[in-house]
Amino acid sequence: MFTEFLRTSIPGRAVTGGLVSVNLVNLRDFGRGNYRQLDDYAFGSGGMVLAAPQMKDALDSLSREPGRKPFVVYPSPQGVLISQEIIETLALQEDVAIICGHYEGIDERFVSSYVDLEVSIGDCVLTGGEIPAMLIVDAMSRLVPGVVGKGKAVIEDSFYRGMLDNPNYTRPYEWEGLKVPEVLTGGNEHDISRWRRREAIRRTLTRRPDLVSRASVREYISGVNVAVIAESENVDFAGLSETCNAYGAGRPYIVAGNRELREVMKSKIPSAKIVGSVGKILDTLGEGTMIVKAASSARRNALHSLEAKRMCLEHDGGVLFVFAESDEALDEVDGIEAYVFTDGNDVAMGVRIGIALDRFLGKR
């Protein structure tokens, strides 16, 4: 089953190019007795189960040097559903051993003692673990530098950023009465990029809304800014500018209602933009900017951060995240309110903002 697979397409390119090494181990070589027995009847009735001693012998044969053990993966219906995050974790391992089960599976004593990760490719029944193993090898190979011709192609794949891909079209322009969207033929790269971003969002929200909770929405929002309402001189801004920069939000805005406080803020955090009101920020960013007020508790009319995240995706414009020392200060600002932490008043403002931005903009 593996011979042609390892000679074909991306996995074949990875293997023949020496970028990925795949060692096929025949479990039958470790069978016991005249018939090279690998399995036996399940205790308590049932089908055949692969025996622990033979599986252990096969696994021991993979150890290249003392202390160097492979990361052991066992595809089975009882495993956690495989995801791009799991594939990325496996691709970081030096050695990965994928064990292909059969029949009723493998003796649980071997699984609990030697398997590092049990994964499932979905709620279906297969003859054995070979096809899931191929899936894992294929997905891992794509992440090895040099395997895929254009590194950008990997980044733009569905799930790599946590979202589904946009629709794609090719010639002919019209087929069975259906035409390619006009925006794709106009040649305006900005409009094309905007359309693709919008369609990726629409698809994800419609088909796989569960992905939104773990996806970074930064690439799908046209602009992100952060504003902090300063109510006193005592607010701790440690790391604020670094946090905003790390999440692509640029220089933060500090909103101070009176001149004296603004002067204090200028000396306290010179890298920030000091303004007198949130309205002044909107004058700069434009009326199409969506305001998300980050609260520290679930107040009346407040949204769960995931619901606010969906609204950010659906909004065709920039987003301004507004923070304050107290939730009451947020009442003076018009916008949607989302609760993102239980109680952050005793935590540095820069840390609170980092928590909130990571909920929305952090990598998967």
Side-chain angles (χ1 to χ4, degrees):
M1 292 181 71
F2 285 92
T3 303
E4 288 305 313
F5 165 70
L6 295 175
R7 293 175 180 171
T8 306
S9 190
I10 298 296
R13 184 186 309 164
V15 172
T16 57
L19 299 172
V20 175
S21 175
V22 180
N23 178 29
L24 299 179
V25 177
N26 189 347
L27 291 176
R28 186 65 70 180
D29 294 340
F30 302 90
R32 305 287 177 88
N34 294 334
Y35 296 99
R36 313 302 296 169
Q37 185 176 358
L38 285 168
D39 55 357
D40 212 328
Y41 291 102
F43 279 110
S45 76
M48 306 300 288
V49 177
L50 292 172
Q54 292 91 314
M55 302 302 295
K56 175 63 164 51
D57 290 344
L59 183 61
D60 287 343
S61 72
L62 304 180
S63 298
R64 300 182 182 178
E65 55 190 56
R68 180 175 172 178
K69 299 291 185 181
F71 188 91
V72 181
V73 180
Y74 170 40
S76 85
Q78 288 74 42
V80 297
L81 189 64
I82 201 161
S83 65
Q84 186 65 22
E85 290 90 340
I86 289 176
I87 294 298
E88 290 174 20
T89 297
L90 296 179
L92 293 174
Q93 310 305 312
E94 186 68 25
D95 298 297
V96 176
I98 307 172
I99 299 178
C100 300
H102 270 269
Y103 315 119
E104 295 299 315
I106 302 175
D107 190 308
E108 186 62 27
R109 291 168 294 185
F110 173 83
V111 176
S112 60
S113 298
Y114 296 101
V115 170
D116 296 301
L117 180 63
E118 199 168 349
V119 298
S120 168
I121 65 168
D123 298 333
C124 58
V125 179
L126 302 176
T127 301
E130 289 82 6
I131 292 176
M134 293 179 190
L135 179 152
I136 294 170
V137 171
D138 186 294
M140 287 175 58
S141 297
R142 296 182 61 83
L143 299 181
V144 176
V147 171
V148 178
K150 296 181 179 180
K152 187 179 179 182
V154 175
I155 296 175
E156 292 177 347
D157 283 340
S158 293
F159 304 117
Y160 190 86
R161 288 194 178 115
M163 303 277 282
L164 297 183
D165 196 7
N166 54 265
N168 293 286
Y169 300 85
T170 188
R171 293 179 177 83
Y173 169 71
E174 183 173 350
W175 177 74
E176 294 190 350
L178 301 174
K179 297 180 180 179
V180 175
E182 292 289 342
V183 66
L184 298 180
T185 63
N188 187 311
E189 292 187 7
H190 174 75
D191 289 346
I192 292 173
S193 177
R194 186 177 179 182
W195 178 88
R196 286 175 171 166
R197 183 173 64 244
R198 187 167 58 244
E199 287 301 304
I201 292 169
R202 183 188 61 79
R203 273 191 167 185
T204 304
L205 292 177
T206 301
R207 303 181 183 184
R208 292 292 306 277
D210 57 294
L211 293 178
V212 176
S213 63
R214 59 189 178 94
S216 168
V217 301
R218 180 63 187 91
E219 300 293 333
Y220 302 90
I221 298 177
S222 60
V224 175
N225 285 275
V226 169
V228 184
I229 300 175
E231 301 174 67
S232 70
E233 300 178 8
N234 300 322
V235 60
D236 187 355
F237 288 115
L240 173 60
S241 295
E242 293 81 359
T243 298
C244 291
N245 183 62
Y247 289 97
R251 292 172 59 194
Y253 289 92
I254 304 297
V255 180
N258 60 73
R259 180 178 297 178
E260 291 77 12
L261 187 55
R262 287 197 291 273
E263 292 301 320
V264 172
M265 291 296 109
K266 286 179 182 179
S267 61
K268 192 169 187 176
I269 182 167
S271 59
K273 304 171 186 176
I274 313 300
V275 296
S277 67
V278 174
K280 293 290 186 181
I281 303 175
L282 294 179
D283 289 341
T284 302
L285 300 181
E287 294 184 357
T289 301
M290 176 180 178
I291 293 179
V292 177
K293 303 184 291 183
S296 61
S297 59
R299 304 194 303 167
R300 185 179 298 276
N301 297 325
L303 302 176
H304 187 282
S305 59
L306 178 56
E307 293 305 312
K309 194 174 184 180
R310 288 198 182 102
M311 293 182 70
C312 288
L313 284 170
E314 292 173 330
H315 178 67
D316 191 18
V319 175
L320 174 66
F321 291 96
V322 179
F323 300 83
E325 296 176 71
S326 66
D327 289 345
E328 288 70 25
L330 296 174
D331 292 336
E332 304 300 319
V333 180
D334 291 330
I336 67 169
E337 184 170 310
Y339 60 94
V340 291
F341 28 72
T342 304
D343 185 5
N345 291 332
D346 57 345
V347 179
M349 181 61 73
V351 175
R352 293 171 62 188
I353 292 174
I355 294 171
L357 293 185
D358 197 70
R359 291 275 182 92
F360 287 83
L361 313 177
K363 299 299 182 183
R364 296 174 297 99

